[in-house]
Amino acid sequence: MGTLRVPDVVPSPTQDSERLRKAFQGWGTDEKAIIWVLGHRTASQRRKIRDTYQQLYNESLIDRLQSELSGDFRKAVILWTLDPPERDANLAREALKSKRKGVDHLKVIVEMACAASPHHLMAVRQAYCSLYDCSLEEDITSNVTPPVRKLLVGLVSSYRYDREVVEEIVAKSEASKLRDAIERKQLDDDDLVWILSTRNVFQLRATFERYRETYGNPIDEHIKRCGTGNLESILRIVVWCIGSPEKHFAEVVRASIVGFGTDEDSLTRAIVTRAEIDMVKIKEEYFKVNKTTLDYAVIDDTSGDYKDFLITLLGEKM
Amino acid sequence: MGTLRVPDVVPSPTQDSERLRKAFQGWGTDEKAIIWVLGHRTASQRRKIRDTYQQLYNESLIDRLQSELSGDFRKAVILWTLDPPERDANLAREALKSKRKGVDHLKVIVEMACAASPHHLMAVRQAYCSLYDCSLEEDITSNVTPPVRKLLVGLVSSYRYDREVVEEIVAKSEASKLRDAIERKQLDDDDLVWILSTRNVFQLRATFERYRETYGNPIDEHIKRCGTGNLESILRIVVWCIGSPEKHFAEVVRASIVGFGTDEDSLTRAIVTRAEIDMVKIKEEYFKVNKTTLDYAVIDDTSGDYKDFLITLLGEKM
C-alpha cells in the first residue's frame, strides 16, 4: 500500500494545469501550490496533467519545472512528474553514466529489475530505447565491468512470471545450486545468475527460505562471507529486493540520512519510487528497526520545499 | 510489405461475426465463407471479430473453429485468427514440448526473436506468461539442452533498439569478436551470444558485412565449417533471420515442399506469420532462387480448403 493521498474530488487536468501555470507566473514561484497539485495525484493523473499542460500552453511541464525550481526539490518534483518507466530509465542512465566508484549507485537498476513488476521493467526498457538511442543492456555492457555486468544484464533482461506459483522441488534443488556457487565463491556462476534473474519472486522467496533452513543462515549472510567486493554488495541487494523490498527501501532511507549530511538522491529515489507502491510497509519496517518513525527522520534531516514535498508523498498533512 | 488483401469497404465486426456464425450452422460447414471473411482481415480486425463473436453468441470463435474444421486447414485458420503474440506463444510452446530430435522445430523461436519487432517479442513473452504459468525463458531452460539453451535464452531475453543506428567502429570490433569465437569453434562464447542477442538488426547487418569483407566469406559459411551440430544449425538461422528474413522464409517454404510429402506445419507458419509483414519480398526471393513462383509451388503441393486459405493469404484472387 502506498502513502500517496489523493483528494476525494480530483480537479480536472485542465484545472490542475491552470493552477500550475499560475504558480509559475508573477514574481517568484509558488512552490506550495506545485506541491499541493502534483504531490496529490497518481501517476496516471500526473500523465494527464502533463499532456493537458502541453496542449494548453504549448510548453513542456517538465521544462517549466526545470526552469522554475532548483536543487533537490527540483529533482524530486521532476522525477515524480515523469511517467514511472521514463523516470526509471532516467535514473538508470544517470547511474550508468556516473563516474562514482563502487556499485552503490547501480542499486537503482537492481531495484527496477527485482522490486518492481515485470511489466514495469519492460516499460522501462522501452522508455530507455526511446530516450537514449540504445538499449539498457547495451549501456550496462559499455559502462559496467564484469562480473557485475553479467549479473545486471541478466536481471534487466528478465520477464518474470508474475503470479504466485511456487514449486517446493524447485526451491530445494535451486537452494542447493545457489549453495554450491556460494561455496565455490563463484558468484557469477551461470546457474546462480539464471535463477535470480528468471524465477518469479514468490518462487525465489521459497528458495531463500529453503536455503536458510538447510544451510543454517540466510543466503545474504553467506554471500557477505564470500567477500566485500562489488559483486557481493550487488548480490545482497538483489536478495533483499526480491526477498523483502520494504526492508531494502527502509535501509536505503536510513543509510541516506545517517551520520553527517544527507544523500538526497537516494532519499528522493526511495520515496518517489515507492510512495504509490509499498510505502506503508516501508514505514512499518523502518519503525521496527530504528525505533523512530520514517516521517520524523525525514523531517529532521531535510528542510524547506524539499522537506514539504517528501512529507506530502509520505502522506502527512501539511 | 504483406500480401494480405483487405476489401476497400470492410464489413463491421458484427456483420463478419454473423457471416461466420451462418457458415458454422446447418448441415456441413461453409469453409469458403470462413476463408472469405478471416482471410481478408488484418490482425486488429480479426481481434475485433473474435471479441464481437464472443459477445454476440457467448461462445469462443477459436473453440468453434476448432470443432468445425479439421486437419491442416483448421490449424492454419486458428493460428491466423489468434492475436499474433498469442499465436507465437502457442508456436513456441508447441516447439518446446515437441519430442522431435534435433533443433529444426526450434527455429520458430529464433524467428520471433530475430525476424520480428522487439515490441512483438515482448508481447509474445507476456502472452506466454499469461497462457502457461511460467516464463518463456523458464520453459526454454527446462526443455532445451546446452549449448543451444544459452543462445535461445539470450535471444528471447533481448529487447533490441529498433531504429537504424549503426556504428562502423562497433561493426569492426564485433566482427573481430565473432571471428575469434568462430576460429576457436566456441559458438556459445559469451561475447558472441551477447552480440547476436543484444545489438539492433541494422548494426548486426553492418557487422556481418564487415565480417565478410575482412574474412573473405559470409559469417554463416564459416559457422557451417565449424560442424554440423545443433548449435551450428541454430546459429545459421539466427544469422539469416537477422541478415535477411525474406531469404530465411523463402527457404522455409522451399524446404517444406521439396521432395516427397509436405511439411505443412512449417509451410503454414511461414505464410501465416509473414502474410502481413514481408510476403511480397519473400515471394521475390523465392522466385529468384527457385525460378518458379511461390504461389505456384503452394498450389502444386497442397489441396482443398487448406490450399485455398494459403493462396488467399498470399494475395491471390480465388
Side-chain angles (χ1 to χ4, degrees):
Chain A
M1 225 176 94
T3 48
L4 177 70
R5 284 174 183 236
V6 177
D8 294 337
V9 181
V10 181
S12 72
T14 302
Q15 288 170 318
D16 279 342
S17 297
E18 284 165 354
R19 187 138 187 206
L20 288 170
R21 177 76 169 184
K22 214 173 132 198
F24 299 145
Q25 286 173 328
W27 196 78
T29 307
D30 182 357
E31 285 87 359
K32 293 274 167 293
I34 294 172
I35 297 174
W36 191 248
V37 174
L38 293 173
H40 294 285
R41 299 293 181 273
T42 64
S44 71
Q45 290 164 345
R46 300 189 305 270
R47 167 83 259 173
K48 282 183 196 141
I49 295 173
R50 260 178 86 184
D51 293 344
T52 308
Y53 187 94
Q54 175 73 43
Q55 281 170 3
L56 286 174
Y57 308 114
N58 197 22
E59 159 182 283
S60 146
L61 176 58
I62 300 291
D63 288 351
R64 188 69 193 244
L65 290 166
Q66 188 79 33
S67 74
E68 294 287 336
L69 312 179
S70 65
D72 297 316
F73 176 53
R74 168 167 72 187
K75 191 159 181 187
V77 171
I78 288 179
L79 283 176
W80 177 251
T81 307
L82 290 170
D83 262 344
E86 207 181 345
R87 171 200 74 208
D88 283 0
N90 259 277
L91 288 169
R93 175 77 166 192
E94 190 185 283
L96 290 170
K97 295 293 168 189
S98 151
K99 299 277 176 235
R100 282 200 248 170
K101 285 195 178 155
V103 288
D104 200 60
H105 57 290
L106 295 175
K107 65 169 65 146
V108 59
I109 296 176
V110 177
E111 290 165 2
M112 56 193 79
C114 303
S117 76
H119 184 77
H120 177 74
L121 176 61
M122 273 204 179
V124 174
R125 293 172 77 188
Q126 291 179 311
Y128 202 97
C129 280
S130 306
L131 290 168
Y132 305 117
D133 266 10
C134 72
S135 67
L136 176 55
E137 305 88 282
E138 286 173 299
D139 257 358
I140 291 174
T141 305
S142 4
N143 294 288
V144 181
T145 50
V148 173
R149 176 198 292 175
K150 178 178 174 182
L151 178 65
L152 288 187
V153 169
L155 291 174
V156 304
S157 302
S158 79
Y159 181 69
R160 303 177 197 274
Y161 182 68
D162 67 348
R163 275 168 284 169
E164 191 165 347
V165 172
V166 174
E167 291 182 55
E168 257 314 309
I169 194 162
V170 170
K172 194 176 162 187
S173 89
E174 297 193 344
S176 139
K177 283 184 186 165
L178 295 174
R179 177 64 186 164
D180 179 54
I182 289 171
E183 280 197 319
R184 287 185 286 113
K185 297 198 178 187
Q186 271 256 294
L187 297 185
D188 66 340
D189 171 79
D190 283 351
D191 279 344
L192 180 144
V193 170
W194 185 86
I195 292 168
L196 295 178
S197 49
T198 311
R199 292 302 190 192
N200 79 66
V201 295
F202 305 99
Q203 177 67 56
L204 282 169
R205 285 172 197 160
T207 302
F208 295 164
E209 185 51 29
R210 174 54 72 117
Y211 185 103
R212 197 189 54 73
E213 282 167 23
T214 316
Y215 307 109
N217 275 100
I219 186 169
D220 53 313
E221 281 291 319
H222 284 167
I223 292 169
K224 196 175 173 183
R225 288 187 206 160
C226 287
T228 52
N230 288 338
L231 187 57
E232 286 84 358
S233 308
I234 280 282
L235 259 183
R236 292 173 69 212
I237 296 168
V238 170
V239 171
W240 295 334
C241 283
I242 290 168
S244 171
E246 61 274 14
K247 279 192 192 172
H248 166 73
F249 284 102
E251 171 56 22
V252 170
V253 172
R254 192 201 63 78
S256 74
I257 58 188
V258 78
F260 292 114
T262 307
D263 173 1
E264 284 84 4
D265 282 353
S266 297
L267 181 62
T268 300
R269 187 185 85 240
I271 296 178
V272 162
T273 60
R274 308 307 288 195
E276 281 185 277
I277 300 180
D278 55 359
M279 190 47 81
V280 169
K281 275 169 114 181
I282 295 172
K283 283 187 181 188
E284 287 166 10
E285 184 61 35
Y286 191 93
F287 187 76
K288 217 156 69 186
V289 174
N290 302 290
K291 311 294 174 230
T292 176
T293 68
L294 189 150
D295 290 19
Y296 179 76
V298 171
I299 290 170
D300 204 36
D301 232 66
T302 56
S303 62
D305 299 318
Y306 178 55
K307 176 181 80 180
D308 292 345
F309 183 60
L310 294 186
I311 290 301
T312 301
L313 299 187
L314 290 169
E316 289 279 311
K317 289 207 176 108
M318 288 203 302
Chain B
M1 227 177 91
T3 48
L4 177 70
R5 284 175 184 236
V6 177
D8 293 338
V9 181
V10 181
S12 72
T14 302
Q15 288 171 319
D16 279 342
S17 298
E18 284 164 355
R19 186 138 188 205
L20 288 171
R21 177 76 169 184
K22 214 172 132 200
F24 300 145
Q25 285 172 331
W27 196 79
T29 306
D30 182 356
E31 285 85 0
K32 294 273 168 293
I34 295 171
I35 297 172
W36 191 249
V37 174
L38 294 172
H40 293 286
R41 299 293 179 273
T42 65
S44 71
Q45 289 164 347
R46 298 187 311 264
R47 168 83 257 173
K48 282 182 197 141
I49 296 172
R50 258 178 89 183
D51 293 345
T52 308
Y53 187 93
Q54 175 72 45
Q55 282 169 3
L56 286 175
Y57 307 114
N58 197 24
E59 159 181 284
S60 145
L61 176 59
I62 299 290
D63 289 351
R64 188 70 193 244
L65 290 166
Q66 189 78 35
S67 74
E68 294 288 336
L69 311 179
S70 65
D72 297 317
F73 177 53
R74 168 167 74 187
K75 191 158 181 189
V77 171
I78 289 181
L79 284 176
W80 178 250
T81 307
L82 291 170
D83 262 344
E86 209 181 344
R87 173 199 72 209
D88 283 1
N90 258 279
L91 289 169
R93 175 77 166 193
E94 191 185 281
L96 290 171
K97 295 294 169 190
S98 152
K99 301 276 176 234
R100 282 201 246 169
K101 286 194 177 157
V103 289
D104 199 59
H105 57 290
L106 295 175
K107 65 170 65 147
V108 58
I109 297 176
V110 176
E111 289 165 2
M112 56 193 79
C114 303
S117 76
H119 185 76
H120 177 74
L121 175 61
M122 272 204 179
V124 174
R125 294 172 77 187
Q126 290 179 312
Y128 202 96
C129 280
S130 306
L131 290 168
Y132 305 116
D133 266 11
C134 71
S135 66
L136 176 56
E137 304 89 282
E138 286 173 299
D139 257 359
I140 291 174
T141 305
S142 5
N143 294 289
V144 181
T145 50
V148 173
R149 175 197 293 173
K150 179 177 173 181
L151 178 65
L152 287 187
V153 169
L155 290 174
V156 304
S157 302
S158 78
Y159 182 69
R160 302 178 198 274
Y161 181 68
D162 66 348
R163 274 166 285 169
E164 191 165 347
V165 172
V166 174
E167 290 182 55
E168 258 313 309
I169 193 162
V170 170
K172 193 176 165 188
S173 90
E174 298 193 344
S176 140
K177 283 183 186 168
L178 294 174
R179 177 65 186 164
D180 178 54
I182 290 171
E183 281 198 319
R184 287 184 286 112
K185 297 198 177 189
Q186 271 256 294
L187 297 185
D188 66 339
D189 170 79
D190 283 351
D191 278 344
L192 179 144
V193 170
W194 185 86
I195 291 168
L196 294 179
S197 49
T198 312
R199 291 302 190 193
N200 80 65
V201 295
F202 306 99
Q203 176 67 57
L204 282 169
R205 286 173 196 160
T207 303
F208 295 163
E209 184 51 28
R210 174 54 73 116
Y211 185 102
R212 197 189 54 74
E213 282 167 22
T214 316
Y215 306 110
N217 275 100
I219 185 167
D220 53 312
E221 282 290 318
H222 284 168
I223 292 169
K224 196 174 175 184
R225 289 187 205 160
C226 287
T228 54
N230 289 337
L231 187 57
E232 286 84 359
S233 307
I234 282 282
L235 258 182
R236 293 173 68 212
I237 296 167
V238 171
V239 170
W240 294 334
C241 282
I242 290 168
S244 169
E246 61 276 13
K247 277 192 194 172
H248 166 72
F249 284 102
E251 171 56 22
V252 170
V253 172
R254 192 201 62 77
S256 75
I257 58 188
V258 78
F260 291 115
T262 307
D263 173 1
E264 284 84 2
D265 283 355
S266 298
L267 181 62
T268 300
R269 187 184 85 240
I271 295 179
V272 163
T273 60
R274 309 307 287 196
E276 281 184 277
I277 300 179
D278 54 359
M279 190 47 80
V280 170
K281 274 168 117 182
I282 295 171
K283 283 187 184 189
E284 287 166 9
E285 184 60 34
Y286 190 93
F287 186 76
K288 217 156 68 187
V289 175
N290 303 290
K291 311 293 174 231
T292 174
T293 69
L294 189 148
D295 291 17
Y296 178 77
V298 171
I299 291 170
D300 204 35
D301 232 67
T302 56
S303 63
D305 299 318
Y306 178 57
K307 176 183 80 179
D308 292 346
F309 183 60
L310 294 186
I311 291 300
T312 301
L313 299 188
L314 290 170
E316 288 280 311
K317 287 206 179 115
M318 286 202 305

